[in-house]
Amino acid sequence: MDFSPNGSVLLTGWGPGSKKKVALYDVSNGNNIGNVTVGDAVESVDYSEDGTSYAFGGLDNDLIIYNGTVYGTNIATFTEPTSDVYSVDYSYDSMW
């Protein structure tokens, strides 16, 4: 899990089983404010330092980047990993 840079959104990864998703929660009230359904369990999530995007990866061997809005759009999907993605982390300048 990871918090947005301003602390208002909690980003979580779920799985295995039927809860194969990335979920976003409003920290002020605990309400679910968005979901991204994925192919398999999510192992790692990370918000960019500037809050403009978030990345996640897991047991489906993909690294996925969404823009930072709650109902974001997929910016990029990297399918090159040849095994499970256990950790994602942005650089401090949010460039990588």
Side-chain angles (χ1 to χ4, degrees):
M1 72 179 171
D2 193 23
F3 288 94
S4 62
N6 67 8
S8 66
V9 177
L10 175 64
L11 178 67
T12 64
W14 292 80
S18 62
K19 296 184 177 184
K20 299 176 208 165
K21 65 181 179 180
V22 171
L24 296 97
Y25 296 92
D26 183 325
V27 172
S28 68
N29 58 25
N31 289 340
N32 178 279
I33 55 175
N35 293 307
V36 177
T37 303
V38 296
D40 208 335
V42 177
E43 294 291 320
S44 184
V45 296
D46 192 39
Y47 251 107
S48 64
E49 295 293 322
D50 63 6
T52 60
S53 61
Y54 55 91
F56 53 92
L59 302 184
D60 59 2
N61 301 354
D62 292 340
L63 171 62
I64 301 170
I65 302 174
Y66 266 63
N67 73 7
T69 61
V70 172
Y71 297 104
T73 55
N74 185 318
I75 296 172
T77 299
F78 299 93
T79 58
E80 289 82 16
T82 57
S83 63
D84 302 337
V85 178
Y86 290 107
S87 181
V88 296
D89 192 22
Y90 275 92
S91 61
Y92 289 107
D93 62 5
S94 298
M95 296 298 298
W96 305 101

